[in-house]
Amino acid sequence: MTGASSGIGLELAKQFVLHDYDLLVSAEEVAIHRAADALSSSGASVTPLQVDLRTYDGVESLYSAVTAVGRPLDAAALNAGVGLGGAFVETDLGRELDMIDLNVKSTVHLAKRVLSDMVRRNEGRMLITSSIASTMPGSFHSVYNATKSFLQSFAEAVQNELKDTGVVITSLMPGPTDTNFFDRAEMDDTRVGQGSKDDPAQVAKQGFDALMDGDLTVVAGSAKTKTMEAASKVLPDALKAEQHRTMAEPGSGT
């Protein structure tokens, strides 16, 4: 499981532990060790790995740690991701390229390794954390929304390729969730950053249940989030971009 030190990732890890899974959890932050200690207090075997998944070697080291366990991987949750708000012409290019490396490249890289093993065994489950942001142009959050659009398209394509196998891929699509995401993305002064948010525990449970049920996609969280996703199916992109602007433009929350 990636991105498991806090937020939705940590809550997903709790769901797996609750359902008697042993875990290998990873994150870039040192907090992954504290998270693993807390998760293992229930008696589960939880192995932490502090690793930078923005790098090729980081992803390979995570995959090597998975295979070194010597047991088939029953389920994988690819959840690592970051955002960065602001006007595209003003935001830091290096941070945006890092975002693409983490959100997109690491997911594709790890999925390639893990799914190849699962297909050979003809069994396994993979959860990919997308977002309802994937359904709309992300004015003032442009690169992040684009990464999530990539992940949603990627998940749906590989789902179709593997439909005749015993491998399940579920796309988890949360909305604004009460984690440190908006603070890290420098969006505390925005309308969405200051607005109501979904409970990460609720999002994680809905995502876990969908994975176990073999669902292709789950829009997780509150009724408000589900309504937002439903509306995005019928609204034109230009209108969605303008609506996103009202939520994400710097200073919109003051």
Side-chain angles (χ1 to χ4, degrees), residues 151-244:
L151 291 181
Q152 187 62 30
S153 177
F154 171 69
E156 292 180 8
V158 183
Q159 285 168 354
N160 180 266
E161 292 179 19
L162 301 184
K163 67 178 182 178
D164 296 323
T165 74
V167 178
V168 171
I169 300 174
T170 300
S171 168
L172 171 59
M173 299 176 68
T177 305
D178 190 13
T179 69
N180 63 358
F181 173 86
F182 293 99
D183 180 61
R184 293 180 65 186
E186 300 181 7
M187 297 179 69
D188 287 331
D189 66 339
T190 65
R191 182 179 171 190
V192 65
Q194 295 178 6
S196 62
K197 299 177 181 64
D198 292 339
D199 179 359
Q202 178 192 43
V203 170
K205 185 180 187 308
Q206 292 177 6
F208 180 87
D209 289 346
L211 179 66
M212 294 300 112
D213 290 342
D215 296 339
L216 298 181
T217 300
V218 56
V219 179
S222 63
K224 178 182 177 182
T225 293
K226 298 177 192 296
T227 300
M228 289 173 61
E229 190 274 339
S232 72
K233 295 178 179 178
V234 297
L235 294 175
D237 283 347
L239 180 56
K240 288 189 285 187
E242 192 61 33
Q243 288 182 338
H244 198 283

Side-chain angles (χ1 to χ4, degrees), residues 15 28 40 44 46 53 62-63 71 74 92 104 117-118 128 146 153 166 172 174-176 198 229:
Q15 286 294 317
E28 183 182 6
S40 61
V46 181
L53 295 180
L62 174 56
Y63 178 66
R71 297 163 53 188
D74 292 327
D92 183 75
V104 175
D117 293 340
M118 289 181 173
I128 296 176
S153 177
L172 171 59
D198 292 339
E229 190 274 339

Side-chain angles (χ1 to χ4, degrees), residues 122-162:
N122 200 37
E123 62 178 355
R125 300 176 187 275
M126 177 173 287
L127 186 73
I128 296 176
T129 300
S130 174
S131 170
I132 65 167
S134 69
T135 67
M136 61 194 76
S139 307
F140 295 98
H141 210 189
S142 55
V143 176
Y144 173 79
N145 282 42
T147 67
K148 292 301 182 177
S149 295
F150 178 96
L151 291 181
Q152 187 62 30
S153 177
F154 171 69
E156 292 180 8
V158 183
Q159 285 168 354
N160 180 266
E161 292 179 19
L162 301 184

